[in-house]
Amino acid sequence: MDEINFIIRDDGTRKAFLSEDSFDILEILKEDYPYIYESINDEGFILKYGQCNLFKELLCDRKVVGFCSYDFSREFLTVALNNIYILPKFRGNGIFLKELENTMIEHNKPSIMEPTRLVVELLIKYGFACKINDSLVASAIEFIVPGSHVLSNGGYENEELSTHFYDLEICGCIHVLDVDDAHIAYSAPLNYDIIHYDCIEKREKMGDSYFNGISDIFKSNDLNFMDILLNLEERLPVKNYTLEEVIGDESGFSPYIQSLIDDGHVTHQRALDIKQQIREEYEAGMILNESLLVRLAYLFEDGNEPKIKSHTDICPYCSMPIDSHDRFCHFCGINLDCDLEEMQSNLISSINTSNVNFKEDIRFVAYKFLKLIDERIDLDYSIFTIENTYDVNWFELNQFLERNDYFKDNSITPEGYDFMNGHPLHFWERYHMDIVNYTDFEKYFYSHEDSNPIERCLSYIRQFKDDDCVLEIISNLEKDM
């Protein structure tokens, strides 16, 4: 490689590319970092993933000496490292360590997509992982493997694999799906590990004795492994958020929630509902400080249906897979160690001290219940929430739902969705009508059923047309006429 004409960042600030859509990594390297692109080709280095939506420079002495790329989710507040490359002569300077530490401060704990053995060995060196026997490694940073790259010694439905364990011998992430049946899932070999560690030859020796051995190790060391991972996680330099930082204080929303409202990702009323729900759950002990961001992201996401079903250990609230060492579910954010009776007692107290601003019309309560179910909230918890928030018991509500065929076999029916989509609260939330009194709007909505819902909304809101915010609502309603 000829003399390198390094890009210099005099102020030490790294350039980053961020987009909600994915972009091609090699195209960025070709156009903006030709010397890094050339080095990758000279080494025969193969990117694990060709696309990303967050690309960051890596610096050493103000020189751009490499890059890292992430799958970044604004909605889920998470980042998953999918590539990292550093020019050969600059390796060993702790650049990867600094990047991980910065990411933990900026985005909470990251995950790593299909780490190579070299990356895992660096995590051990940094104290983020440790060996638990001659070849097995436990990592505080989670490893993610796409479903298409997951192998198994039994049935597995090509589901994404998330795990905290890695086998250095076979150069693969591993996860025990069923300890009694010795059912193990593991990642497919990576090109880097095939070239540098002969992992294919070692994998050819895998058989029943290997899988039974892994299962026996986990069966006899379950509590020990739990303690190891908890100790590793406690040493991570992760920011510990407060409730107010995540949802905001009494005077308003947090900057993150406000940005979602401003960008049209969520209605103002929906954000208020989520803020109140998180506050109640936090005060009831259902959420930990370290799971606040996870819970917030879960509630803001529309399609919270469990997508992974091959694991035996699942969260009792959202049915996603969990590990025995987990303090909280990494999908829905619920505290897995909370005492159910104590939680219910605290939640009742929290709910009873909050103000309910709406008239307890059975149609309103039915809408609120169906919204909980639509958001994949557990049935028992949804019933519990409704009974302790409104003066309606489950028998009365269920009779209304059955009589109108809105809810059947623990699922919302097509008629139920029609009911929700035609409910006044649906329009009040959809068109950001929270500047007017809901109870008054609901009364008007039901008393003018001779016109279609949009016309009813327009007729009501035009009473307040001197307000600039109302003019915007009217404009949006007229577009949907």
Side-chain angles (χ1 to χ4, degrees), residues 151 167 169-171 186-187 189 194 197-211:
L151 306 173
D167 189 334
E169 186 71 14
I170 67 167
C171 299
Y186 55 101
S187 59
I194 293 172
Y197 297 102
D198 298 323
C199 68
I200 292 294
E201 180 180 339
K202 294 170 184 176
R203 285 171 179 249
E204 289 175 351
K205 300 175 183 178
M206 294 170 68
D208 289 344
S209 61
Y210 171 81
F211 298 112

Side-chain angles (χ1 to χ4, degrees), residues 1 14 41 56 111 114 119 128 132 176 202 251 253 258 280 328 352 370 416 429 443 478:
M1 192 171 181
R14 299 183 295 164
N41 288 331
K56 298 165 68 175
S111 55
E114 296 185 272
V119 166
F128 301 153
I132 51 181
V176 179
K202 294 170 184 176
S251 64
F253 294 111
Q258 189 60 54
E280 291 169 357
F328 62 90
N352 286 343
L370 294 176
E429 292 175 341
K443 181 179 179 181
E478 288 175 341

Side-chain angles (χ1 to χ4, degrees), residues 60-118:
C60 184
D61 295 330
R62 297 181 293 111
K63 299 184 183 77
V64 178
V65 300
F67 77 94
C68 57
S69 60
Y70 293 87
D71 289 333
F72 172 72
S73 170
R74 179 184 178 191
E75 286 77 15
F76 291 108
L77 305 170
T78 59
V79 288
L81 180 74
N82 61 20
N83 289 293
I84 183 166
Y85 181 82
I86 300 168
L87 295 174
K89 66 180 293 186
F90 293 93
R91 293 168 191 169
N93 289 303
I95 298 172
F96 182 37
L97 171 61
K98 292 175 185 176
E99 171 58 24
L100 286 176
E101 290 176 335
N102 288 336
T103 301
M104 290 182 204
I105 294 171
E106 294 171 3
H107 300 293
N108 208 345
K109 186 171 66 174
S111 55
I112 299 177
M113 301 291 294
E114 296 185 272
T116 62
R117 174 170 167 169
L118 175 61

Side-chain angles (χ1 to χ4, degrees), residues 25 52 124 165 206 314 319 348 375 429 432 437 451 464:
I25 296 171
C52 73
I124 296 172
F165 297 97
M206 294 170 68
I314 60 173
S319 299
I348 290 172
E375 289 158 9
E429 292 175 341
H432 301 246
N437 180 274
S451 59
F464 312 94

